[in-house]
Amino acid sequence: MKAYKKILIGAGISTAIGAALGTASYAITKKLVKTALERSDVGKDDKSEAKKRLSRSSKSVELAELQKNAAEKLISAGLEEVSIKTPDGETLVGHIRYAHEPKRTVIAFHGWRSSWTRDFGMIADFWDDAGCNVVFVEQRGQNASSGKYMGFGLLERFDCVEWVKYVKSNEKLKDLPIYLAGLSMGATTVLMATGLDMPSGVHGVIADCGFTSPHAIWKHVVENNVHFSYFDKIADKMCKRRIKMGTKDYSCAEALSKNEIPVLFIHGSDDKFVPVWMTYENYKAAKGKKRLLIVPGAGHGMSRVVDTEAYDRAVLDFWRDFD
């Protein structure tokens, strides 16, 4: 029980340890929803600690330093900052890195309580060398983009379509094949977006460690990482109150069942945050052309770090076949 208390405090979740288990589980579920959706639920320093504890993720000092250096390098690469307005009035920020000899454009969506520099710093040069213009998106409710709430893909899928429209209107980007790429919640964003009326020109989706639905990932985190019962009704009610949609209102499987855009699914077998079975479910549901790369021993978002050769080969083959 002391270990659970440490996890909960670290994630900004306060409840009386001596309270009845049912009461504690109820309080934890409520706090999880706030932490999951609200932009300013916890302080800046606590956000990364909360994410680390909820995801059961850990990184070596060496990897953290590599990630930091890659992020700084990407920031200093002279990217163009742009913004778009969404139909619901939010202002979303993006950063464009133009390739010297562009072959395609990648629109990249980062994960929950993360950033474009953190999630894509280490892959940015690979994309550049491969001839990719890249639009690094700052997801709503995070960083420089506006929005009071994050939506775990439920809201962001609509933003994805708006970014595709932007790319098709940009003189330097239009007329090239478009690929949607996402990591973690970003992967769920692009997968859910495939169920919408997508503008023409999107040749493929690269989804790295995406979850199946808000309901599924929240239930998994509470029951497996925090070790308490999950109150799905209260979570759903709180979600609807904030973003006008429930945790079960949409899923990647629903989107993929009617999607015909080719998808490359990637996941690490040792992911403790988003379990690999979620990608298997998404893959099974996909109607269109699809490919799957499971990287043995890789944790959350670490597939390319663990096996760079297999990862890059799968992506290059995907572009070669669908450009």
Side-chain angles (χ1 to χ4, degrees):
M1 185 61 76
K2 289 182 179 179
Y4 297 157
K5 181 178 179 181
K6 183 177 180 181
I7 291 174
L8 300 180
I9 293 173
I13 302 172
S14 61
T15 186
I17 297 301
L21 182 59
T23 302
S25 296
Y26 179 85
I28 289 162
T29 299
K30 290 183 67 174
K31 191 60 181 182
L32 172 70
V33 176
K34 287 174 63 66
T35 302
L37 297 180
E38 295 185 5
R39 182 185 193 108
S40 302
D41 181 61
V42 290
K44 182 178 180 181
D45 292 338
D46 292 334
K47 285 180 182 178
S48 59
E49 184 64 18
K51 180 178 179 180
K52 183 171 71 174
R53 293 184 182 277
L54 288 171
S55 66
R56 292 172 58 196
S57 64
S58 60
K59 296 178 184 176
S60 67
V61 174
E62 292 80 8
L63 178 57
E65 189 65 21
L66 284 172
Q67 202 170 36
K68 178 184 176 183
N69 291 340
E72 292 175 351
K73 180 181 178 182
L74 181 56
I75 291 173
S76 64
L79 280 66
E80 177 185 352
E81 184 173 307
V82 297
S83 65
I84 63 171
K85 274 282 190 182
T86 66
D88 63 344
E90 302 297 349
T91 299
L92 306 181
V93 176
H95 308 265
I96 305 178
R97 186 178 189 180
Y98 295 101
H100 294 296
E101 298 181 10
K103 301 176 181 177
R104 65 193 68 83
T105 296
V106 172
I107 310 176
F109 295 79
H110 65 75
W112 175 68
R113 294 207 183 282
S114 191
S115 69
W116 60 284
T117 55
R118 184 183 302 119
D119 284 356
F120 302 121
M122 293 181 69
I123 199 173
D125 285 347
F126 165 68
W127 283 341
D128 189 52
D129 292 341
C132 301
N133 297 317
V134 184
V135 181
F136 297 98
V137 171
E138 299 205 38
Q139 297 243 53
R140 67 165 57 215
Q142 302 190 62
N143 306 306
S145 289
S146 70
K148 186 176 180 180
Y149 300 112
M150 294 167 276
F152 271 64
L154 296 173
L155 299 176
E156 293 84 354
R157 58 187 164 133
F158 299 106
D159 300 337
C160 185
V161 174
E162 296 306 312
W163 279 111
V164 173
K165 292 178 181 177
Y166 168 80
V167 166
K168 290 175 65 66
S169 70
N170 183 305
E171 287 296 327
K172 296 181 181 179
L173 302 176
K174 69 179 185 179
D175 300 328
L176 289 172
I178 299 170
Y179 289 86
L180 308 177
L183 182 74
S184 192
M185 192 188 84
T188 298
T189 293
V190 297
L191 290 176
M192 285 188 175
T194 64
L196 301 174
D197 186 14
M198 187 68 66
S200 63
V202 178
H203 285 220
V205 173
I206 301 173
D208 189 341
C209 60
F211 50 84
T212 50
S213 69
H215 167 76
I217 190 61
W218 294 358
K219 179 178 171 63
H220 171 80
V221 167
V222 172
E223 294 182 350
N224 294 276
N225 294 4
V226 183
H227 304 287
F228 277 93
S229 299
Y230 176 61
F231 281 73
D232 62 338
K233 290 184 178 180
I234 186 64
D236 195 63
K237 183 178 180 180
M238 292 180 67
C239 186
K240 285 181 179 178
R241 187 181 302 149
R242 285 163 174 75
I243 66 171
K244 312 304 180 186
M245 282 181 278
T247 61
K248 301 178 184 178
D249 282 1
Y250 202 67
S251 69
C252 290
E254 184 176 348
L256 291 164
S257 67
K258 50 190 174 185
N259 165 57
E260 296 185 353
I261 300 173
V263 182
L264 171 59
F265 296 90
I266 301 172
H267 215 122
S269 67
D270 288 6
D271 195 328
K272 299 298 190 297
F273 190 24
V274 179
V276 67
W277 62 259
M278 291 193 178
T279 278
Y280 283 125
E281 283 199 3
N282 288 336
Y283 178 82
K284 183 179 179 180
K287 175 185 176 183
K289 295 179 180 179
K290 54 190 176 182
R291 296 181 181 180
L292 178 65
L293 173 65
I294 303 299
V295 179
H300 188 62
M302 290 293 106
S303 290
R304 188 170 185 270
V305 173
V306 171
D307 196 338
T308 305
E309 182 180 354
Y311 190 107
D312 290 358
R313 183 172 61 249
V315 173
L316 289 170
D317 288 348
F318 190 67
W319 288 334
R320 179 198 64 207
D321 294 341
F322 297 110
D323 273 356

